[in-house]
Amino acid sequence: MSRKMLIDGELNQSNEQESHYDFDLFVIGAGSGGVRASRFSANYGAKVGICELPFHPISSEVVGGVGGTCVLRGCVPKKILVYGASFGGDIEDARNYGWEINDKVDFNWKKLLQKKTDEITRLNGIYKRLLSNAGVKLFEGEGKVVGPNEVEVIQLDGTKLSFSAKHILIATGNRAQRPNIPGQELAITSDEALSLEDMPKRAVILGGGYIAVEFASIWRGMGATVDLVFRKELPLRGFDDEMRAVVARNLEGRGINLHPRTTLTQLIKTEDGIKAFTDHGEELSADVVLFATGRMPYTKRLNLESAGVELDSTGAIKVDEYSRTNIPSIWAVGDVTNRMNLTPVALMEGTCFAKTVFGGQPCKPDYRDVPCAVFSIPPLSVVGLSEEQAIEQAQNDILVFTSSFNPMKNTISGRQEKTVMKLVVDAETDRVLGASMCGPDAPEIIQGIAVALKCGATKAQFDSTVGIHPSAAEEFVTMRSLTRRVTAGTKPKTNL
């Protein structure tokens, strides 16, 4: 099959002299980005090989699995647990809707855990079939770079396989990091949290990012006592400050104990669990301590120095706008590059890679207006600029529209938990720069709003759109009263 390939920056037809390579493309890492790049490259006619560590729910240096972090020990199993935890609040709310529920409602953690494991095992099989159906050759083992056009795969039995490839793609993702404090070995990371044998009755979580907030919601929803310890005044640094405050209020409203401007200094094993000490002298008792203090690009066992691939100070692979490293034959996509660490972004990068290298369509990933969500209970979802980012980047005045209301479901259930929505608008162009929502179904709603922002929608176009009634979503097209106007040149308030 004839195919176009990017060679030394120019698109040329493949020819006979390239046939001495074992593969046109060899990919190390079969997560979302690696699988997407492999399949799409093969669809363009490339001969593709890919390697991945053997499957296990908890990753390590010797186990992983086709599907990667998101599918096997991240977004997908986490969302399953969020669904499971949400039923706790729904059962409470159901009483005022006429449902007569016994006082004692049991939750079977082991049953949910088994269902979760069954699902990720199924997905692991699906991803393997996707590769096979695309004609991609899968090797199970640890991949390493030997040179600019050579890789080595160490199989389970220790056998080493060597392959040459015209192009090498690194897509090994990232790994959870642990703070270096006394007793840190007593804590777990999100990998283990998704596979705990027993449901904790008391949990201490260190961290203020989305993983920390989501697990706080999960365990609290399942009835555990949860202490959330984080360094800043509010959780979710980097998100819109107003929405961060809403999330914090909701977490407290659901019974989670917040410890802002705090960190852990030591963990000690006790007869009935773990004692966690804070820098404010507090002692927190727990069955489980979760470290959710960030993730680092996973490059340390790839032998990249052998090919001269440049890394940044965090260990991330440096790439250009096309995901190419300083070595022309070696590329990288996904979290290992530490650009925008989201699964759909890794998919976008993998797609652009395949188009650029094998499709004859040079393509740069577009990181503007990428929506995302924090699956807390209730969830937060955003797209575009936060108010702080808009003010910082503004050439014109910024208009802020907000709405805070009690969702219709809560008027009957009696739950005191408001939904908050926000639009950030350029006063001169009327273009909507950012949208945020914290409340039920926020991710489903913001995904649609993201299309509008990608198309450059104006506030007038939002206002002229007819809403769906009764729904929370209609509030986005009925926010006509200005909340505040921020003058261009105003310094944004510091990130709390």
Side-chain angles (χ1 to χ4, degrees):
M1 181 186 293
S2 177
R3 61 185 180 274
K4 295 178 180 179
M5 300 176 68
L6 188 75
I7 303 172
D8 297 330
E10 297 295 331
L11 286 164
N12 296 317
Q13 291 293 118
S14 62
N15 53 46
E16 293 300 318
Q17 69 183 30
E18 292 166 23
S19 62
H20 67 277
Y21 291 106
D22 297 320
F23 293 97
D24 298 319
L25 170 67
F26 198 94
V27 181
I28 300 178
S32 298
V35 168
R36 171 65 63 89
S38 300
R39 291 173 54 222
F40 280 36
S41 297
N43 289 341
Y44 284 123
K47 183 181 180 182
V48 182
I50 189 170
C51 69
E52 178 55 75
L53 296 167
F55 169 66
H56 193 279
I58 302 174
S59 69
S60 72
E61 293 181 342
V62 294
V63 292
V66 175
T69 297
C70 175
V71 173
L72 305 179
R73 62 193 70 84
C75 333
V76 172
K78 176 269 307 286
K79 188 75 179 289
I80 290 171
L81 297 191
V82 169
Y83 280 134
S86 297
F87 282 109
D90 289 343
I91 291 169
E92 292 175 12
D93 293 349
R95 298 180 193 277
N96 281 342
Y97 276 91
W99 290 90
E100 300 296 338
I101 299 169
N102 295 331
D103 289 339
K104 183 172 175 55
V105 178
D106 291 328
F107 171 67
N108 188 328
W109 166 257
K110 291 185 186 298
K111 182 174 184 178
L112 176 59
L113 196 67
Q114 185 58 54
K115 291 288 187 183
K116 181 272 299 182
T117 302
D118 291 345
E119 176 61 8
I120 65 173
T121 302
R122 184 184 75 87
L123 292 173
N124 175 248
I126 286 175
Y127 271 71
K128 286 182 176 180
R129 287 195 295 276
L130 287 172
L131 291 170
S132 177
N133 292 342
V136 177
K137 177 67 174 174
L138 172 64
F139 299 91
E140 199 165 67
E142 182 179 12
K144 295 186 177 185
V145 174
V146 179
N149 297 100
E150 189 175 358
V151 297
E152 179 183 86
V153 179
I154 304 172
Q155 296 183 291
L156 302 182
D157 61 1
T159 305
K160 293 182 180 180
L161 304 175
S162 293
F163 301 105
S164 60
K166 179 67 180 175
H167 298 277
I168 297 169
L169 177 67
I170 309 298
T172 49
N174 58 24
R175 297 288 190 277
Q177 62 176 344
R178 292 170 171 267
N180 186 21
I181 63 172
Q184 59 94 8
E185 71 281 356
L186 300 174
I188 63 171
T189 68
S190 56
D191 280 9
E192 295 87 5
L194 289 163
S195 299
L196 283 177
E197 199 168 309
D198 296 306
M199 166 70 197
K201 292 184 173 61
R202 304 165 299 167
V204 171
I205 301 172
L206 176 62
Y210 69 94
I211 293 174
V213 167
E214 288 168 347
F215 272 101
S217 289
I218 289 168
W219 284 331
R220 181 60 196 146
M222 294 172 178
T225 299
V226 178
D227 288 276
L228 182 60
V229 178
F230 48 96
R231 292 179 181 273
K232 298 291 184 177
E233 186 176 323
L234 292 169
L236 299 176
R237 180 169 60 89
F239 285 81
D240 186 285
D241 285 346
E242 189 171 13
M243 304 309 289
R244 294 168 67 201
V246 173
V247 172
R249 190 162 62 243
N250 289 343
L251 293 174
E252 287 189 307
R254 294 265 175 165
I256 295 166
N257 305 312
L258 303 187
H259 302 265
R261 299 183 183 275
T262 305
T263 190
L264 298 183
T265 57
Q266 185 179 11
L267 305 180
I268 293 178
K269 182 71 176 170
T270 62
E271 287 185 3
D272 66 341
I274 302 169
K275 186 155 287 188
F277 295 85
T278 76
D279 56 348
H280 296 314
E282 296 172 284
E283 296 182 13
L284 306 174
S285 297
D287 304 310
V288 164
V289 175
L290 170 65
F291 285 162
T293 48
R295 299 176 67 87
M296 298 290 283
Y298 190 68
T299 53
K300 68 176 183 178
R301 290 169 64 95
L302 293 174
N303 195 38
L304 292 172
E305 63 276 7
S306 68
V309 176
E310 291 182 0
L311 308 178
D312 71 12
S313 59
T314 68
I317 298 175
K318 292 183 178 181
V319 292
D320 65 13
E321 293 177 299
Y322 293 95
S323 299
R324 200 175 205 170
T325 72
N326 61 304
I327 305 301
S329 58
I330 301 180
W331 310 68
V333 297
D335 293 358
V336 75
T337 65
N338 202 28
R339 286 177 283 184
M340 185 178 284
N341 297 339
L342 296 167
T343 296
V345 170
L347 295 173
M348 172 178 65
E349 292 169 356
T351 300
C352 286
F353 163 83
K355 285 182 176 180
T356 297
V357 181
F358 298 106
Q361 309 167 58
C363 173
K364 300 176 185 178
D366 182 1
Y367 300 98
R368 293 172 304 143
D369 298 326
V370 173
C372 66
V374 179
F375 290 98
S376 49
I377 303 175
L380 166 69
S381 191
V382 304
V383 63
L385 302 181
S386 67
E387 181 178 347
E388 292 74 33
Q389 290 169 332
I391 293 169
E392 189 172 350
Q393 299 176 24
Q395 302 297 316
N396 308 308
D397 288 2
I398 296 297
L399 307 179
V400 179
F401 298 83
T402 60
S403 178
S404 176
F405 58 93
N406 207 27
M408 178 181 270
K409 182 182 176 184
N410 290 359
T411 62
I412 301 301
S413 70
R415 182 175 294 280
Q416 298 301 306
E417 192 172 74
K418 291 188 179 297
T419 287
V420 178
M421 295 178 171
K422 184 173 186 176
L423 290 175
V424 178
V425 180
D426 185 306
E428 183 70 24
T429 66
D430 198 42
R431 182 170 178 171
V432 179
L433 303 175
S436 308
M437 176 180 175
C438 186
D441 302 318
E444 312 296 337
I445 294 169
I446 289 293
Q447 179 67 82
I449 299 291
V451 177
L453 263 66
K454 200 72 175 174
C455 293
T458 64
K459 182 63 167 62
Q461 289 171 325
F462 270 66
D463 294 344
S464 67
T465 302
V466 177
I468 299 172
H469 183 76
S471 72
E474 69 178 314
E475 202 70 21
F476 272 119
V477 299
T478 59
M479 283 194 279
R480 295 187 176 88
S481 298
L482 181 65
T483 302
R484 58 185 167 273
R485 183 183 189 113
V486 183
T487 306
T490 302
K491 283 191 175 182
K493 58 185 175 181
T494 53
N495 210 341
L496 301 172

